[in-house]
Amino acid sequence: MSDRLNGAIAGHPETSAANELLVAYRHDIHKLTGDAHDHADDMFAGVPVNDPVPHGADSDAAALSRPAGQPQQTVEAHGSHYRLSLCTGRSQRETITGSDPEATIRELVTESDPEAAHRAWLTNTVVSAFNESVYYSYTSLKYHTLLVGVLVDNYRAGHEFDELALVVDPGDTLVPYRTIYTDDTFCLRIAPAAACEDRPFARLGSHPHRSWAAIWQRLPVHPLATDTDEWAQALDANLRRIRSWSTALQYLDDVRDGGEWR
């Protein structure tokens, strides 16, 4: 693989594995800049962006959140890369009013440490305003990118998709590249089931598809206090109806940050 396709940056001695992860975190920058994939720039702030992701991780992550086949616009009145909130139904463009999206993109793109890039995507609020596809307005570019990163990390380590599981960790636990959601009560990551026997987990299945609700319901220990908390019961009921992974993770994110919810 050439340095260009491997995502190498001139003057930075990253390993091949680190380059692959950086490619994952930079592969959809064109959606933040509002450019179509076929006409997207291959550089931003002097750094390669919008490169193909290795190991088929991008298409597998897309399959976790979007249906297969020719995409069709699901919300006729909304055809932009700004996400619609599942909590309020409103465009998230208003949530970044007054911020500087270009500065955010520059900060994300120029980070040359893949661990720091992973943390930045987990904690960034500006990227939460964007969807992963204009055709599927409730999906989340933030969580699609984190799913791509976790699949790259697992695949490059030699794990197949059918070996992987959704794992529940204690609050504020961050496992580099593999944590896909974090708050102060519980965290979620994707890792090989064989290495997670000390934590509650549910296997992802034989192939990537929109399986969030089914996997969430199969967790043997519930991360929400559904036995005693009516709020948690309602939140759980909603999560059991969402099939798209990036939509569900973003919904958790929005509720955690105080968004109104149905």
Side-chain angles (χ1 to χ4, degrees), residues 23-230:
V23 168
Y25 296 127
R26 298 168 178 164
H27 82 284
D28 264 349
I29 296 302
H30 68 95
K31 294 178 182 177
L32 293 172
T33 58
D35 299 316
H37 185 270
D38 292 343
H39 301 97
D41 292 336
D42 59 5
M43 301 287 287
F44 187 95
V47 176
V49 294
N50 303 320
D51 279 332
V53 179
H55 310 296
D58 187 18
S59 58
D60 284 357
L64 289 172
S65 300
R66 293 176 259 161
Q70 189 67 26
Q72 296 182 347
Q73 192 166 325
T74 53
V75 182
E76 291 186 5
H78 186 79
S80 81
H81 270 304
Y82 289 104
R83 181 176 61 86
L84 290 182
S85 168
L86 200 60
C87 293
T88 66
R90 296 194 294 268
S91 170
Q92 294 303 283
R93 182 172 186 172
E94 64 190 57
T95 66
I96 58 173
T97 300
S99 64
D100 186 348
E102 184 171 341
T104 296
I105 300 169
R106 184 177 297 273
E107 182 178 349
L108 290 171
V109 163
T110 56
E111 178 55 68
S112 59
D113 176 2
E115 270 196 52
H118 171 237
R119 288 193 301 272
W121 276 93
L122 264 177
T123 58
N124 192 281
T125 57
V126 172
V127 292
S128 294
F130 296 83
N131 55 51
E132 61 172 295
S133 168
V134 295
Y135 299 104
Y136 305 106
S137 303
Y138 294 98
T139 58
S140 168
L141 178 61
K142 171 179 177 174
Y143 285 102
H144 169 69
T145 300
L146 289 166
L147 288 166
V148 172
V150 76
L151 291 180
V152 166
D153 188 54
N154 278 288
Y155 290 168
R156 72 181 179 86
H159 305 299
E160 301 293 335
F161 185 86
D162 61 6
E163 299 176 51
L164 303 180
L166 178 66
V167 186
V168 180
D169 286 322
D172 293 325
T173 300
L174 195 156
V175 179
Y177 321 124
R178 298 192 177 182
T179 297
I180 55 171
Y181 173 81
T182 181
D183 66 25
D184 58 1
T185 57
F186 70 93
C187 298
L188 300 173
R189 65 183 157 104
I190 292 177
C196 299
E197 294 182 355
D198 61 331
R199 301 298 315 155
F201 71 87
R203 291 180 179 272
L204 301 191
S206 60
H207 65 284
H209 63 291
R210 291 182 299 162
S211 59
W212 167 266
I215 305 303
W216 178 257
Q217 293 177 59
R218 289 208 300 267
L219 287 170
V221 177
H222 210 292
L224 297 174
T226 53
D227 291 339
T228 58
D229 189 325
E230 291 185 0

